[in-house]
Amino acid sequence: MAPFLEGGILKFFSHPDKELILHLREVYEINKDKVDKDLREYYRIISYCHDFGKFTSYFQRYLKTKKRGKYTDHGFISALFAAFCAFKEYGEDNIVLLIYSIVLHHHGDLENASKDLPSSISGLLENDYRLLEKIEIAQYQINDMIKNKNYIKEEYRKIDFDIYVDEFLDSDITFILKKLKKLSFLMEKSPTEKNYFVHQILYSSLISADKLSASQIDIPTEKYAQYECLDRVRLKIIGNSFSTINEIRREIFYKVQKSIERDYKKSRFFTITAPTGTGKTYTGFFAALKLRELLGGNRRIIYCLPFTSIIDQNYDVLYDLHNEIEEFKEESSRFLIKHHSLSNVEYKSEEYEYDNLDSELLIENWSSGIIVTTFVQLLETLISCRNRMLKKLINLKGSILILDEIQAIDISFLPLVDYVLRKSSEYFNLHIIMMTATKPYILNEAIELLDDCTKYFSIFNRTKLIINPNNIKLEEFIMEFKNNIEDKSYLIVCNTISSSLKVYNSLKDLKRKIYYLSTNLLPIHRKRMISEIKECLDKKEKIILVSTQVVEAGVNFDFDIAIRDIGPIDSIIQCAGRCNRNGNKDLGNVKVYSLIDDDKDRDGFGFSKYVYGIPAIRITKEILGKESIEEKEYYNIVSEYFKRMQDNKSKDKSMFFKNSILSLNFSNEDNNKIPIYKFSLIENNLGYFDVLLLYDDIVEDAFDKYCKLRNEKDYYERRRQYLKIKNILKDYTLSLPIKYNNIFEEKFGFYILPRHGIKDYYDEKTGFIRDAKSFDIF
């Protein structure tokens, strides 16, 4: 059956409104200039072959009827054609197997190419039944294409790629697969990281361009503001205030600018080591701007942070810097975007109009001059098999990365992160600026941009740790606090949900405002609570906040006194950053206790061990040997902590993932291997599940719309509608221990608490109402 007949000429389409040959050409043209010259010919083969299987009548019929069948799939046959062409061009070279893998998986997540190769180097065996079925389907597709061979050749002649069509259609598929298996066997014997980085950048180039071409949207060009222009705005924003802390911030800023001008040719890796509150956002960003100016070219600046909760405030700082640029008001997303799992899906451009589906594609592609994002988005792109994450990898090339608070990454992953950043810098031409309050244990040869950085830790002496070396029962701590309370604002940080709720409930009868903040509250209520607490602190009200570690994730509170249940030293220092933050008060006290439960603690490590483990707390207790430690000593104790933790922590996870990178192991878990698909910076809490609380009309309406989406058959329209309600659903979602699952109803993939059950299980001030005898950690 002929695909489409128009004036006696067959016309083939890749998508309902796009001719196939035009799509193949566009995929090549969209990213060819981003691909290194020595890889560009490989990319041409990949681009022109990736949809070869759409030349069948089966696929063309599917475009008209929307009815899929086993002969409409095109990945396998297209991958075979790509491998055939590559063999002809390069002989039995590793690149052929990489090209096969890239085309094979361009519509899904990456898996090991060996899954679609014979199990034996000698050829097909009886147990290759899955592959034998694919070969049978491919042969039907080839027979179908042979009927229209001349038309297909004519189409390929338009892009000067018709040379191998005849030969492939007459070839033996099994022979191609046998040659690929031989290459796979040889690559396993001699693994190299080059295969991984070449594979990933070519795969990213294909899937990024494929989706952009298919979407038929106008692709925006990124825009870049100049250093001098943004610096004028910075000076206007900071004004002429001459407080001591502002003078120190200015000194740090200009020292770093001078250093980057002096040293930019000496390395790809730089650090800015300075205390909390010294203006590192401006300092680091302008160092990246200066570096871009010195290196030349329009390089993206990618500003990475550890938590989604602090992205908005950094994004707002950069937004305000750009806001006086006239063009920015109309084209803001071409200059600057933020990208994380909770960000709004909106790409703003006056030149082009984008709906939320188009916006999502552009944001996930990092189609902007500056991207504010998370370590998760960055590192789960550099170490990934996920189609969705890998789209943006091609737009990482040549970028300048700002890594803010790199020490927040799990120490067990630091050897892996060090390796991947080094190799990515080499293969993708990256420059990296790390900002931290302590020297990170990665990229150790990085050039420090703040000369004599340790002196600033002595100057910034805003707080001191007061350590209680003895364990104290929770009830005794509460009584002690009540008996010694002063006319000051207090922050109390507990390690677990259960202990924080006990403290809050024991203090709420005090005659002053008391607030509670933890992940036990819905995100929508946490945001509201943070805003109210900031307002009280700005008015100098003597409030009490009982919280968990959630308050340490970049929330700009400023309390008179902070109290923390013992945790790792870096967490204690983060907590200290919420006390006397601007140095406007006398030395702020940060009291560290070792809180234990009456009858559940026999080892003396209390609530802390459930969250951080005993080794981290043991090392912390050993380092915090004195009764008090002033802020000028924080740098040394934090450095000592990370050094000892690095020596103590197992590096096995990093080693296993590094081995999988070397061997292109995306999906194979045999022989104690940890495949790349297992890599995640965020560890899922085992024994926990997500629940949606239908708390008010807003979320009820959103959930009703979600339920109706099941009736929408068109995937793109379904996705478009989902994006409108995605963030509402997340704002009303909690993660809870699985023991509570009998409370909730399961509906359309969600565990939900209906409106009528809210009053029994949720309190707007403290969140989910848990079993009073529970010992919940999160």
Side-chain angles (χ1 to χ4, degrees), residues 644-661:
R644 290 180 62 176
M645 281 297 293
Q646 183 77 353
D647 294 341
N648 183 73
K649 198 80 170 182
S650 169
K651 300 175 180 62
D652 288 351
K653 267 197 297 189
S654 284
M655 182 190 70
F656 282 128
F657 281 119
K658 181 180 174 182
N659 288 341
S660 284
I661 286 172

Side-chain angles (χ1 to χ4, degrees), residues 143-159:
N143 292 339
D144 176 81
M145 284 192 275
I146 286 172
K147 298 172 188 175
N148 297 311
K149 180 170 63 175
N150 291 334
Y151 292 104
I152 295 169
K153 281 179 64 179
E154 192 59 37
E155 290 292 279
Y156 266 116
R157 193 169 289 119
K158 295 175 183 176
I159 55 174

Side-chain angles (χ1 to χ4, degrees), residues 324-337:
E324 291 196 15
I325 300 171
E326 189 63 36
E327 194 179 5
F328 180 75
K329 295 171 184 176
E330 298 178 345
E331 302 287 344
S332 64
S333 294
R334 295 169 73 179
F335 286 90
L336 170 68
I337 59 173

